[in-house]
Amino acid sequence: PLYIGYTVGLVNTLQFKDFNFFPGANIIIAYIAEPLMAFYGCIVAAIIVPRSRLYSLYASNGLAILSTIFMVSNLSVLECIGRCIQGFTWGLYSCISLLYLKETSPIEISGKAVTQYQIFITAGNFFVMLASFSNMNSVFTRDRYWCWPRIMLSLPFIILLLQLALMLLLKLSESPKCWAERKNFDQCENELKKIYTSTTRVSVEKEELKTLTEHREPLTWGSLCKGWKKKALLYGLAVSGVQQFTGINVIIFFSSKLVYSLTSVPGLEIIVTTTNGFVTIFFAIVTLFFIDTFGRKILLIIGTSMTSLIWLFFGLCVIPIYLADESREFSLPEYAVLVLALLNLSCYSFSIGPAALCYLVDTLQPFPFCLSIAFNWLLALIIPLPVAIAIGKGFSMKSIQLI
């Protein structure tokens, strides 16, 4: 998740610079090609995950390392290929790592394990966006090609090598559920002993997995369109869609530009970005103490209700400013925009973000779970795209704000 958060933030940092070989390439790659490849990565994960979680992780790690090698090359073609492979690994990682975290954690703290995924994504994203403010108007250009941008592009390579080293040193093995799906219940019991100290608990969990796998019908593409399986898939798509319909990516990547455009206060953009990052990480950490206590459903209800109200007030505060001809001065409505953006981030980090992922991984089998995450990535492409295109095409700030 640290790799996903860092590289997604990196893409949004580099997207408007002359970093590729034709005009508008960054917009196309950042907001169309990479999310689409992430979508396809989730589809591939749906096929390979039932066979092996562990080897799927190793394969994802290898592809991600290959993408970083291409990314730091001085050839634009290789760079674009590397970014497409990178998007593909986002889809693989987002499915495989969540399933692996869930299946190798004790049930009592499985919510905390999945919430850690959200924390590390946020941390990686925050770090790269904060680092990008260091002379960002001059470093992301061809005339200083091997300086700061190359350092930032090389960091994922270090992250991935550390991850690979830890996986090998810790001698990670398949999850108990994966062994149960293969009908290898002896190995399943051995893996459960690494998670639970109580022999009785190990026996209970083994019997539950045995019952689950022996009475479960195999899922296929065709069977997902029938009966309760169709309902389960639609439910998964709906919960996954809630995450993106909160507009979280628009808030994370464009709220600092929005507030700065309303106020024009020097240095405000980096202050907003820093505040956003701290708020997001803080509330994600707070969620660790509640996700396994309050339950996923309550947190989802609270989060969606609050976010709906926040967006309503957001529009009421912002639209009059756009329609007015008066000069833009730092007044109460601008402060309200910043506060509402922070409230949106806090609601997402505390409830919708981790709760939706926990709910999906708790209730869906691996196959429909991966499809739900694929839908999430598809919406991550569609929802921020109008804003990204408007900025890339040089629309007036007033038009961008209206969008």
Side-chain angles (χ1 to χ4, degrees):
L2 184 62
Y3 162 77
I4 296 175
Y6 182 91
T7 50
V8 168
L10 194 63
V11 164
N12 283 277
T13 298
L14 302 181
Q15 63 187 329
F16 307 119
K17 307 303 174 182
D18 183 21
F19 217 59
N20 290 290
F21 57 89
F22 62 89
N26 277 312
I27 294 294
I28 293 173
I29 293 172
Y31 283 100
I32 298 178
E34 286 187 296
L36 269 181
M37 291 303 294
F39 172 81
Y40 292 130
C42 293
I43 300 299
V44 172
I47 298 170
I48 65 174
V49 158
R51 292 169 174 80
S52 172
R53 275 64 152 173
L54 184 65
Y55 290 117
S56 298
L57 270 178
Y58 279 118
S60 302
N61 192 276
L63 280 174
I65 289 174
L66 180 65
S67 74
T68 57
I69 294 173
F70 285 173
M71 290 273 287
V72 297
S73 68
N74 200 21
L75 297 174
S76 295
V77 175
L78 287 180
E79 196 175 319
C80 290
I81 293 172
R83 289 178 69 169
C84 290
I85 296 174
Q86 177 179 266
F88 188 78
T89 60
W90 291 348
L92 288 175
Y93 268 135
S94 56
C95 294
I96 299 165
S97 58
L98 281 169
L99 286 170
Y100 194 79
L101 280 170
K102 162 66 179 176
E103 294 174 5
T104 56
S105 302
I107 292 174
E108 294 82 359
I109 61 167
S110 61
K112 292 183 176 65
V114 174
T115 302
Q116 290 176 33
Y117 173 92
Q118 188 78 29
I119 293 173
F120 278 105
I121 281 187
T122 303
N125 205 309
F126 172 55
F127 173 78
V128 72
M129 292 187 70
L130 196 60
S132 69
F133 280 103
S134 175
N135 197 24
M136 69 179 296
N137 290 326
S138 62
V139 295
F140 296 128
T141 55
R142 289 284 180 184
D143 57 341
R144 297 178 64 182
Y145 200 77
W146 288 98
C147 298
W148 184 237
R150 284 295 160 252
I151 295 173
M152 294 184 71
L153 287 170
S154 301
L155 281 178
F157 184 76
I158 298 172
I159 294 172
L160 292 165
L161 285 182
L162 286 173
Q163 174 178 291
L164 181 61
L166 284 171
M167 289 171 68
L168 294 172
L169 287 172
L170 296 173
K171 298 179 180 179
L172 295 187
S173 54
E174 289 288 1
S175 68
K177 188 175 181 180
C178 190
W179 286 118
E181 290 171 350
R182 297 181 188 179
K183 311 300 181 184
N184 191 337
F185 296 106
D186 291 335
Q187 192 63 42
C188 172
E189 183 177 355
N190 292 334
E191 297 304 322
L192 285 170
K193 289 178 180 177
K194 299 177 183 178
I195 302 173
Y196 302 104
T197 56
S198 170
T199 306
T200 305
R201 183 66 182 275
V202 169
S203 300
V204 170
E205 294 295 332
K206 177 185 173 181
E207 288 303 316
E208 286 186 0
L209 287 173
K210 189 174 181 179
T211 303
L212 175 68
T213 54
E214 286 183 345
H215 293 85
R216 190 175 70 185
E217 300 176 17
L219 282 174
T220 62
W221 293 99
S223 66
L224 284 174
C225 301
K226 300 175 182 177
W228 66 267
K229 296 174 185 178
K230 179 181 177 180
K231 293 181 180 179
L233 178 61
L234 291 174
Y235 148 80
L237 297 179
V239 174
S240 186
V242 165
Q243 269 200 328
Q244 291 301 325
F245 278 115
T246 58
I248 185 62
N249 289 330
V250 177
I251 290 291
I252 288 176
F253 297 119
F254 301 116
S255 62
S256 59
K257 298 179 185 297
L258 174 65
V259 174
Y260 178 75
S261 69
L262 292 172
T263 62
S264 300
V265 175
L268 183 63
E269 195 170 352
I270 189 170
I271 294 173
V272 173
T273 300
T274 305
T275 306
N276 287 352
F278 279 120
V279 167
T280 307
I281 293 173
F282 173 77
F283 279 97
I285 293 173
V286 170
T287 309
L288 289 172
F289 301 96
F290 297 98
I291 190 71
D292 290 309
T293 306
F294 284 5
R296 285 63 154 154
K297 184 176 180 179
I298 293 177
L299 289 180
L300 274 175
I301 292 172
I302 293 172
T304 50
S305 302
M306 291 298 297
T307 305
S308 300
L309 291 174
I310 288 166
W311 274 112
L312 174 63
F313 286 114
F314 191 92
L316 293 175
C317 290
V318 173
I319 290 176
I321 300 173
Y322 305 150
L323 300 179
D325 294 328
E326 60 191 35
S327 60
R328 294 172 182 164
E329 297 179 356
F330 200 68
S331 56
L332 179 61
E334 285 86 345
Y335 277 117
V337 171
L338 177 57
V339 170
L340 290 171
L342 293 175
L343 286 173
N344 189 299
L345 286 172
S346 61
C347 282
Y348 180 88
S349 302
F350 178 71
S351 59
I352 299 175
L357 291 176
C358 288
Y359 218 43
L360 290 172
V361 78
D362 282 345
T363 56
L364 295 179
Q365 296 179 31
F367 192 74
F369 169 76
C370 293
L371 296 183
S372 298
I373 299 298
F375 182 64
N376 190 295
W377 278 107
L378 196 61
L379 291 178
L381 180 160
I382 295 170
I383 293 175
L385 189 59
V387 179
I389 291 175
I391 293 176
K393 291 290 185 180
F395 285 19
S396 67
M397 187 53 68
K398 186 173 182 179
S399 298
I400 293 169
Q401 292 165 354
L402 282 169
I403 293 172

